[in-house]
Amino acid sequence: MEPARGSSHGLIDNFYLTKQQLRDESPSRSAGVAVETETQLRAFGCDRIQRGVLYLRLPQAVAATGQVLLHRFYCKKSLTEFDVKRTAIAATWLATKLEETPKRITDVLRVFTRLDCRSENTPLELLDTHSQRCERLKNDVFRIEKSMLRVLGFVTHVEHPHKFVLSLLTILGITELQQEAWNLANDSLRTTLC
């Protein structure tokens, strides 16, 4: 049965791919990116999102949503077409809005600039919000965010497994596994399993 016109139900299902599709048929694979490289770059992007969210003092839900958005986006677009560092920024910024904890774009850019300085072992610098560099970064993030929304068909709802796992374990009376289950749910966000 076809979804009703205007319904988003059919659109959500297009993110569920088989292991073979993820491994052999991704846009990055078509562009010549090896499976291992794609896996490492996706994990790198997710790690950036997690660190950025921590430095921005945002809830874990923002990180989880950003990581899912990043994975969904790269199911449709190649890593060669969109830089993972900038895509992680765009996914984080979009996630702040979706999780109703919006931050100014300049705050997000400042945090990710500091992350870059730390990872590259360069002196920490404060991003001048009136500089051409900041304007270029903003424009890149806006462009990627628009592409992300377009590619996702504006279907940005993310249902995180955390609350279901905890509820199920409580119902079953297995409370000693809650922390381990929570950790597993968090770790899955760095993989295409999410």
Side-chain angles (χ1 to χ4, degrees), residues 8 17 28 30 45 56 61 64 73 75 78 82 96 107 112-113 128 135 142-143 155 164 167-168 184-185 191:
S8 63
L17 304 172
S28 295
S30 299
L56 286 162
F73 182 67
C75 283
S78 172
F82 291 90
T96 66
D107 294 338
F112 279 92
T113 300
D128 179 4
E135 283 303 311
F142 294 154
R143 179 184 59 81
V155 178
F164 300 114
S167 295
L168 183 60
L184 185 60
T191 70

Side-chain angles (χ1 to χ4, degrees), residues 22-24 32 35 42 45 49 51-52 72 101 105-106 118 123 128 143 157 160 166 169 171 182 186 191:
L22 285 167
R23 188 184 63 238
D24 302 331
V35 175
R42 282 176 179 244
I49 291 169
R51 289 175 189 265
R72 286 181 180 177
T101 54
I105 186 64
T106 51
R118 287 183 178 187
D128 179 4
R143 179 184 59 81
H157 176 74
H160 300 296
L166 293 181
L169 289 173
I171 289 168
W182 186 271
N186 280 337
T191 70

Side-chain angles (χ1 to χ4, degrees), residues 9-20:
H9 183 271
L11 294 173
I12 293 172
D13 291 340
N14 71 357
F15 298 111
Y16 298 106
L17 304 172
T18 66
K19 191 173 182 177
Q20 180 185 355

Side-chain angles (χ1 to χ4, degrees), residues 70-93:
L70 181 109
H71 283 300
R72 286 181 180 177
F73 182 67
Y74 283 128
C75 283
K76 302 291 181 183
K77 290 292 181 180
S78 172
L79 284 155
T80 60
E81 190 177 349
F82 291 90
D83 176 65
V84 73
K85 283 184 172 184
R86 301 281 168 89
T87 303
I89 299 170
T92 303
W93 192 50

